[in-house]
Amino acid sequence: MSNTFFKFKQFTIHQDKCAMKVCTDSCLFGAIISNKNEGFKNALDIGTGTGLLSLMFAQKQLNCKIDAIEIDENAFNQAKENVEDSVFRSQINLYLADIVAYSNTSISMYDVIISNPPFYTNDLKSNNEQRNLAMHNSALSYEDLLNSVNKLLDKNGTFYILIPFSIEDKLLHLAKNVNLFPSEIIRFKQTTSHNYFRSVICLNKIKKECKSSELSIKEDSDIYTLEFKNLLKDYYLNF
């Protein structure tokens, strides 16, 4: 059984009401984007879930206001609880909304948008409808997500997305269709000897040279890599 909460150095994530729990790759994603020194002022977190990414981002981006969107009411209430219990509550505004509808009505433009969207498009669904909503893209397709991002992203803005490595080419093709272009791709491995399993893709409206890199979570000896520890040291209690 998953823990009902996950304690970080500066905030706690309660997750008993949320289908998707805190996991290592989402923490790594949050640490990577939060450490970007880009002077972000206004951010959008699409599908915030427990509020993890928004809180990680707020901890490092102290001058940034964050709007966090969540479609599932239980997850929204969970995120609200986690945000309100944190010292970063004044930075984060939560909205119970569908991102497609939000993008059609919002007058806000964002200089950074982040998303850890539904995974496992082609896998078998479980009997848990809340988990299906969180894990599968039947409620939000990548096409709809990218179209929404295109409407909400400032012309000089940046969109960071975490996806399964297996759909990287598909995502890049769909992004190109809405004139979003990769400027950075970071691929995750579980260990140094494993194949890639996740990709962080940075997309922009302006074409740039695309940088590629990889990151392993653990050494083959099952010890966390130094790079992973350095990224998470400001968040994880035991680092």
Side-chain angles (χ1 to χ4, degrees):
M1 181 177 178
S2 299
N3 289 336
T4 60
F5 68 92
F6 196 106
K7 191 170 181 59
F8 293 85
K9 285 183 176 178
Q10 294 194 37
F11 56 86
T12 299
I13 296 293
H14 295 278
Q15 50 187 4
D16 55 295
K17 302 182 185 73
C18 198
M20 295 311 302
K21 313 303 182 186
V22 172
C23 61
T24 303
D25 48 304
S26 61
C27 290
L28 182 54
F29 176 51
I32 287 171
I33 59 178
S34 299
N35 277 288
K36 296 291 183 180
N37 188 21
E38 303 291 342
F40 298 126
K41 298 298 183 183
N42 57 328
L44 176 66
D45 177 8
I46 300 176
T48 194
T50 59
L52 172 66
L53 292 183
S54 288
L55 285 163
M56 293 184 76
F57 202 77
Q59 180 179 322
K60 289 296 184 73
Q61 304 284 336
L62 296 175
N63 295 317
C64 187
K65 293 292 185 180
I66 303 162
D67 290 338
I69 304 290
E70 177 54 54
I71 192 173
D72 178 75
E73 188 170 2
N74 288 328
F76 169 81
N77 289 330
Q78 189 92 81
K80 185 177 180 181
E81 173 189 1
N82 291 330
V83 169
E84 290 182 349
D85 285 347
S86 78
V87 297
F88 307 108
R89 66 183 73 86
S90 64
Q91 281 181 255
I92 303 170
N93 297 309
L94 287 156
Y95 298 93
L96 178 62
D98 170 74
I99 188 56
V100 174
Y102 181 86
S103 69
N104 287 330
T105 58
S106 175
I107 59 172
S108 298
M109 297 292 286
Y110 299 92
D111 52 22
V112 60
I113 299 176
I114 60 179
S115 186
N116 180 4
F119 283 173
Y120 314 136
T121 311
N122 298 315
D123 290 2
L124 292 175
K125 294 186 178 183
S126 73
N127 292 322
N128 184 325
E129 286 303 317
Q130 187 188 10
R131 184 172 176 83
N132 286 338
L133 184 65
M135 290 293 287
H136 294 265
N137 72 356
S138 55
L140 177 66
S141 69
Y142 286 111
E143 290 91 338
D144 286 342
L145 173 60
L146 290 165
N147 276 312
S148 298
V149 167
N150 196 39
K151 293 175 183 178
L152 295 166
L153 189 65
D154 183 82
K155 65 178 182 179
N156 295 311
T158 304
F159 174 46
Y160 295 99
I161 182 171
L162 177 67
I163 59 168
F165 169 72
S166 60
I167 65 162
E168 184 181 296
D169 288 342
K170 175 187 176 183
L171 191 283
L172 291 173
H173 176 74
L174 293 173
K176 185 178 180 180
N177 288 342
V178 294
N179 295 314
L180 291 172
F181 307 100
S183 59
E184 185 177 11
I185 300 174
I186 306 170
R187 300 177 179 97
F188 296 172
K189 294 181 175 183
Q190 293 283 9
T191 74
T192 50
S193 61
H194 277 81
N195 294 323
Y196 301 126
F197 78 109
R198 296 282 184 267
S199 297
V200 175
I201 299 182
C202 171
L203 295 168
N204 304 88
K205 290 186 174 181
I206 300 171
K207 286 186 179 181
K208 303 178 182 180
E209 182 181 356
C210 185
K211 301 179 294 183
S212 296
S213 60
E214 64 178 51
L215 194 154
S216 297
I217 294 172
K218 290 184 175 183
E219 305 284 359
D220 290 340
S221 58
D222 204 36
I223 297 173
Y224 286 116
T225 62
L226 181 60
E227 187 176 10
F228 179 85
K229 292 181 73 171
N230 283 337
L231 281 165
L232 273 299
K233 65 183 180 182
D234 292 332
Y235 297 104
Y236 277 11
L237 290 174
N238 57 340
F239 282 4

